[in-house]
Each structure stands twice: as structure tokens, then as C-alpha cells.
Amino acid sequence: MRLTWWPQQPAFDLSGLTPREENVARLVGRGRSNKEIARDLALSESTVKHHIHNIFGKMGLSRRSQMMCAIRDDPQSVAGAQRLSA
């Protein structure tokens, strides 16, 4: 049986994001769609897409799933997302 080693993902640092980008990132981490995020934050879907594009650039990510995994594994990010959706 061959075991594969997966390197641990670096912590997802939200400090370089604007407050709105941070809100969007946390909701992406909770698995929300662009449409749901737009509704929750009273934004247009295109604005949400713009924020996600900016987050990818600032955080060096290329896929939404990377953002979801990194935020889901960060307890502070998840707690922040829970406050947003409450």
C-alpha cells in the first residue's frame, strides 16, 4: 500500500483583504454560492464575483475550492462566518 503525503496548506490570512472581501471570503468558506452571498450582503452577483477575483489575486489562490478549504480549516474564519450568517 502506497501512502501519499499531502503538504499542509498555509494559513489563510484575511488581514490583506478589505472588510467586504473578508465577509465574502468567509461566506465562500461556508460553501455559499455567489447568488447566496449577493443576497446575504445586499450586493449584485457581479460585485461578488469582482470581490472573489480580488481575493484570489491577493491571496495567491486560483480556485474557489482552495479558498473554501483554507477558510474551513481556520477556526477564526469559520467563527466569523457564523456571525455573518446569524
mmCIF file of all heavy atoms in Angstrom, residues 36-61:
data_model
loop_
_atom_site.group_PDB
_atom_site.id
_atom_site.type_symbol
_atom_site.label_atom_id
_atom_site.label_comp_id
_atom_site.label_asym_id
_atom_site.label_seq_id
_atom_site.Cartn_x
_atom_site.Cartn_y
_atom_site.Cartn_z
ATOM 1 N N GLU A 36 -26.108 33.411 -3.289
ATOM 2 C CA GLU A 36 -26.438 33.478 -1.861
ATOM 3 C C GLU A 36 -25.658 34.588 -1.164
ATOM 4 O O GLU A 36 -26.214 35.312 -0.325
ATOM 5 C CB GLU A 36 -26.146 32.137 -1.194
ATOM 6 C CG GLU A 36 -27.077 31.028 -1.627
ATOM 7 C CD GLU A 36 -26.625 29.657 -1.164
ATOM 8 O OE1 GLU A 36 -25.394 29.401 -1.094
ATOM 9 O OE2 GLU A 36 -27.514 28.839 -0.886
ATOM 10 N N ILE A 37 -24.380 34.720 -1.511
ATOM 11 C CA ILE A 37 -23.555 35.774 -0.909
ATOM 12 C C ILE A 37 -24.110 37.140 -1.291
ATOM 13 O O ILE A 37 -24.224 38.035 -0.441
ATOM 14 C CB ILE A 37 -22.078 35.631 -1.347
ATOM 15 C CG1 ILE A 37 -21.485 34.337 -0.776
ATOM 16 C CG2 ILE A 37 -21.257 36.838 -0.899
ATOM 17 C CD1 ILE A 37 -20.135 33.959 -1.360
ATOM 18 N N ALA A 38 -24.470 37.299 -2.546
ATOM 19 C CA ALA A 38 -25.038 38.571 -3.011
ATOM 20 C C ALA A 38 -26.292 38.906 -2.222
ATOM 21 O O ALA A 38 -26.474 40.046 -1.768
ATOM 22 C CB ALA A 38 -25.335 38.502 -4.506
ATOM 23 N N ARG A 39 -27.151 37.928 -2.043
ATOM 24 C CA ARG A 39 -28.393 38.153 -1.290
ATOM 25 C C ARG A 39 -28.088 38.504 0.162
ATOM 26 O O ARG A 39 -28.631 39.464 0.708
ATOM 27 C CB ARG A 39 -29.269 36.903 -1.354
ATOM 28 C CG ARG A 39 -30.623 37.086 -0.668
ATOM 29 C CD ARG A 39 -31.373 35.788 -0.499
ATOM 30 N NE ARG A 39 -30.597 34.911 0.388
ATOM 31 C CZ ARG A 39 -30.344 33.633 0.142
ATOM 32 N NH1 ARG A 39 -30.801 33.054 -0.944
ATOM 33 N NH2 ARG A 39 -29.637 32.919 0.979
ATOM 34 N N ASP A 40 -27.196 37.753 0.808
ATOM 35 C CA ASP A 40 -26.883 37.973 2.225
ATOM 36 C C ASP A 40 -26.241 39.322 2.493
ATOM 37 O O ASP A 40 -26.463 39.921 3.539
ATOM 38 C CB ASP A 40 -25.960 36.870 2.748
ATOM 39 C CG ASP A 40 -26.635 35.514 2.827
ATOM 40 O OD1 ASP A 40 -27.878 35.447 2.657
ATOM 41 O OD2 ASP A 40 -25.921 34.514 3.054
ATOM 42 N N LEU A 41 -25.425 39.787 1.550
ATOM 43 C CA LEU A 41 -24.694 41.042 1.754
ATOM 44 C C LEU A 41 -25.303 42.222 0.988
ATOM 45 O O LEU A 41 -24.717 43.305 0.971
ATOM 46 C CB LEU A 41 -23.221 40.864 1.347
ATOM 47 C CG LEU A 41 -22.437 39.822 2.139
ATOM 48 C CD1 LEU A 41 -21.004 39.731 1.619
ATOM 49 C CD2 LEU A 41 -22.455 40.132 3.629
ATOM 50 N N ALA A 42 -26.449 42.007 0.371
ATOM 51 C CA ALA A 42 -27.142 43.051 -0.398
ATOM 52 C C ALA A 42 -26.232 43.640 -1.476
ATOM 53 O O ALA A 42 -26.055 44.853 -1.588
ATOM 54 C CB ALA A 42 -27.672 44.144 0.528
ATOM 55 N N LEU A 43 -25.628 42.740 -2.270
ATOM 56 C CA LEU A 43 -24.754 43.130 -3.374
ATOM 57 C C LEU A 43 -25.283 42.486 -4.648
ATOM 58 O O LEU A 43 -26.076 41.552 -4.602
ATOM 59 C CB LEU A 43 -23.327 42.604 -3.135
ATOM 60 C CG LEU A 43 -22.604 43.066 -1.886
ATOM 61 C CD1 LEU A 43 -21.314 42.269 -1.715
ATOM 62 C CD2 LEU A 43 -22.319 44.553 -1.962
ATOM 63 N N SER A 44 -24.785 42.954 -5.798
ATOM 64 C CA SER A 44 -25.102 42.266 -7.047
ATOM 65 C C SER A 44 -24.166 41.067 -7.174
ATOM 66 O O SER A 44 -23.089 41.030 -6.573
ATOM 67 C CB SER A 44 -24.934 43.200 -8.247
ATOM 68 O OG SER A 44 -23.563 43.448 -8.479
ATOM 69 N N GLU A 45 -24.584 40.088 -7.957
ATOM 70 C CA GLU A 45 -23.740 38.920 -8.184
ATOM 71 C C GLU A 45 -22.424 39.300 -8.849
ATOM 72 O O GLU A 45 -21.375 38.734 -8.541
ATOM 73 C CB GLU A 45 -24.486 37.896 -9.054
ATOM 74 C CG GLU A 45 -24.686 36.583 -8.358
ATOM 75 C CD GLU A 45 -25.350 35.556 -9.236
ATOM 76 O OE1 GLU A 45 -26.521 35.770 -9.608
ATOM 77 O OE2 GLU A 45 -24.695 34.546 -9.538
ATOM 78 N N SER A 46 -22.468 40.273 -9.750
ATOM 79 C CA SER A 46 -21.222 40.685 -10.418
ATOM 80 C C SER A 46 -20.260 41.335 -9.426
ATOM 81 O O SER A 46 -19.042 41.188 -9.553
ATOM 82 C CB SER A 46 -21.515 41.617 -11.595
ATOM 83 O OG SER A 46 -22.118 42.798 -11.161
ATOM 84 N N THR A 47 -20.778 42.031 -8.422
ATOM 85 C CA THR A 47 -19.908 42.612 -7.392
ATOM 86 C C THR A 47 -19.268 41.509 -6.563
ATOM 87 O O THR A 47 -18.075 41.584 -6.237
ATOM 88 C CB THR A 47 -20.706 43.579 -6.492
ATOM 89 O OG1 THR A 47 -21.232 44.631 -7.298
ATOM 90 C CG2 THR A 47 -19.829 44.168 -5.395
ATOM 91 N N VAL A 48 -20.007 40.477 -6.244
ATOM 92 C CA VAL A 48 -19.452 39.341 -5.505
ATOM 93 C C VAL A 48 -18.344 38.687 -6.327
ATOM 94 O O VAL A 48 -17.266 38.398 -5.804
ATOM 95 C CB VAL A 48 -20.559 38.314 -5.157
ATOM 96 C CG1 VAL A 48 -19.954 37.033 -4.588
ATOM 97 C CG2 VAL A 48 -21.549 38.921 -4.179
ATOM 98 N N LYS A 49 -18.583 38.484 -7.608
ATOM 99 C CA LYS A 49 -17.560 37.897 -8.483
ATOM 100 C C LYS A 49 -16.306 38.764 -8.509
ATOM 101 O O LYS A 49 -15.183 38.249 -8.495
ATOM 102 C CB LYS A 49 -18.104 37.722 -9.901
ATOM 103 C CG LYS A 49 -19.141 36.628 -10.009
ATOM 104 C CD LYS A 49 -19.688 36.539 -11.421
ATOM 105 C CE LYS A 49 -20.808 35.532 -11.520
ATOM 106 N NZ LYS A 49 -21.372 35.459 -12.866
ATOM 107 N N HIS A 50 -16.493 40.075 -8.532
ATOM 108 C CA HIS A 50 -15.358 41.008 -8.527
ATOM 109 C C HIS A 50 -14.563 40.853 -7.225
ATOM 110 O O HIS A 50 -13.330 40.795 -7.249
ATOM 111 C CB HIS A 50 -15.867 42.439 -8.701
ATOM 112 C CG HIS A 50 -14.793 43.462 -8.698
ATOM 113 N ND1 HIS A 50 -13.968 43.669 -9.784
ATOM 114 C CD2 HIS A 50 -14.401 44.331 -7.746
ATOM 115 C CE1 HIS A 50 -13.110 44.627 -9.488
ATOM 116 N NE2 HIS A 50 -13.353 45.049 -8.263
ATOM 117 N N HIS A 51 -15.256 40.781 -6.093
ATOM 118 C CA HIS A 51 -14.573 40.601 -4.808
ATOM 119 C C HIS A 51 -13.806 39.278 -4.784
ATOM 120 O O HIS A 51 -12.656 39.233 -4.326
ATOM 121 C CB HIS A 51 -15.571 40.642 -3.650
ATOM 122 C CG HIS A 51 -16.080 42.005 -3.326
ATOM 123 N ND1 HIS A 51 -15.267 43.098 -3.131
ATOM 124 C CD2 HIS A 51 -17.352 42.453 -3.152
ATOM 125 C CE1 HIS A 51 -15.995 44.157 -2.853
ATOM 126 N NE2 HIS A 51 -17.278 43.791 -2.868
ATOM 127 N N ILE A 52 -14.417 38.216 -5.282
ATOM 128 C CA ILE A 52 -13.753 36.913 -5.290
ATOM 129 C C ILE A 52 -12.504 36.952 -6.174
ATOM 130 O O ILE A 52 -11.452 36.422 -5.802
ATOM 131 C CB ILE A 52 -14.736 35.801 -5.715
ATOM 132 C CG1 ILE A 52 -15.776 35.598 -4.607
ATOM 133 C CG2 ILE A 52 -13.999 34.494 -6.017
ATOM 134 C CD1 ILE A 52 -16.905 34.672 -4.961
ATOM 135 N N HIS A 53 -12.602 37.608 -7.311
ATOM 136 C CA HIS A 53 -11.441 37.769 -8.187
ATOM 137 C C HIS A 53 -10.314 38.495 -7.448
ATOM 138 O O HIS A 53 -9.142 38.089 -7.513
ATOM 139 C CB HIS A 53 -11.852 38.529 -9.448
ATOM 140 C CG HIS A 53 -10.717 38.843 -10.358
ATOM 141 N ND1 HIS A 53 -10.181 37.902 -11.213
ATOM 142 C CD2 HIS A 53 -9.999 39.980 -10.533
ATOM 143 C CE1 HIS A 53 -9.180 38.467 -11.872
ATOM 144 N NE2 HIS A 53 -9.055 39.721 -11.482
ATOM 145 N N ASN A 54 -10.647 39.563 -6.729
ATOM 146 C CA ASN A 54 -9.639 40.308 -5.958
ATOM 147 C C ASN A 54 -9.024 39.446 -4.858
ATOM 148 O O ASN A 54 -7.823 39.501 -4.613
ATOM 149 C CB ASN A 54 -10.254 41.564 -5.342
ATOM 150 C CG ASN A 54 -10.545 42.630 -6.369
ATOM 151 O OD1 ASN A 54 -10.041 42.601 -7.485
ATOM 152 N ND2 ASN A 54 -11.390 43.573 -6.002
ATOM 153 N N ILE A 55 -9.858 38.662 -4.192
ATOM 154 C CA ILE A 55 -9.369 37.780 -3.125
ATOM 155 C C ILE A 55 -8.378 36.772 -3.697
ATOM 156 O O ILE A 55 -7.311 36.553 -3.125
ATOM 157 C CB ILE A 55 -10.541 37.058 -2.431
ATOM 158 C CG1 ILE A 55 -11.426 38.070 -1.689
ATOM 159 C CG2 ILE A 55 -10.028 35.990 -1.473
ATOM 160 C CD1 ILE A 55 -12.791 37.526 -1.291
ATOM 161 N N PHE A 56 -8.715 36.165 -4.835
ATOM 162 C CA PHE A 56 -7.797 35.222 -5.476
ATOM 163 C C PHE A 56 -6.442 35.877 -5.707
ATOM 164 O O PHE A 56 -5.405 35.290 -5.416
ATOM 165 C CB PHE A 56 -8.348 34.726 -6.809
ATOM 166 C CG PHE A 56 -9.451 33.708 -6.716
ATOM 167 C CD1 PHE A 56 -10.250 33.465 -7.809
ATOM 168 C CD2 PHE A 56 -9.694 32.990 -5.566
ATOM 169 C CE1 PHE A 56 -11.267 32.521 -7.766
ATOM 170 C CE2 PHE A 56 -10.702 32.047 -5.497
ATOM 171 C CZ PHE A 56 -11.490 31.808 -6.603
ATOM 172 N N GLY A 57 -6.448 37.090 -6.259
ATOM 173 C CA GLY A 57 -5.194 37.786 -6.545
ATOM 174 C C GLY A 57 -4.399 38.099 -5.296
ATOM 175 O O GLY A 57 -3.181 37.881 -5.237
ATOM 176 N N LYS A 58 -5.068 38.605 -4.276
ATOM 177 C CA LYS A 58 -4.376 38.996 -3.042
ATOM 178 C C LYS A 58 -3.836 37.794 -2.273
ATOM 179 O O LYS A 58 -2.799 37.899 -1.618
ATOM 180 C CB LYS A 58 -5.324 39.788 -2.129
ATOM 181 C CG LYS A 58 -5.630 41.172 -2.642
ATOM 182 C CD LYS A 58 -6.579 41.898 -1.700
ATOM 183 C CE LYS A 58 -6.870 43.299 -2.205
ATOM 184 N NZ LYS A 58 -7.760 44.034 -1.267
ATOM 185 N N MET A 59 -4.557 36.691 -2.325
ATOM 186 C CA MET A 59 -4.174 35.530 -1.531
ATOM 187 C C MET A 59 -3.390 34.493 -2.325
ATOM 188 O O MET A 59 -2.985 33.471 -1.786
ATOM 189 C CB MET A 59 -5.419 34.874 -0.922
ATOM 190 C CG MET A 59 -6.289 35.832 -0.119
ATOM 191 S SD MET A 59 -5.395 36.925 1.035
ATOM 192 C CE MET A 59 -4.696 35.780 2.165
ATOM 193 N N GLY A 60 -3.180 34.742 -3.622
ATOM 194 C CA GLY A 60 -2.419 33.805 -4.443
ATOM 195 C C GLY A 60 -3.144 32.492 -4.682
ATOM 196 O O GLY A 60 -2.516 31.447 -4.796
ATOM 197 N N LEU A 61 -4.467 32.558 -4.764
ATOM 198 C CA LEU A 61 -5.282 31.369 -4.994
ATOM 199 C C LEU A 61 -5.754 31.356 -6.435
ATOM 200 O O LEU A 61 -5.831 32.387 -7.084
ATOM 201 C CB LEU A 61 -6.504 31.376 -4.059
ATOM 202 C CG LEU A 61 -6.206 31.463 -2.559
ATOM 203 C CD1 LEU A 61 -7.490 31.630 -1.775
ATOM 204 C CD2 LEU A 61 -5.438 30.244 -2.098
#
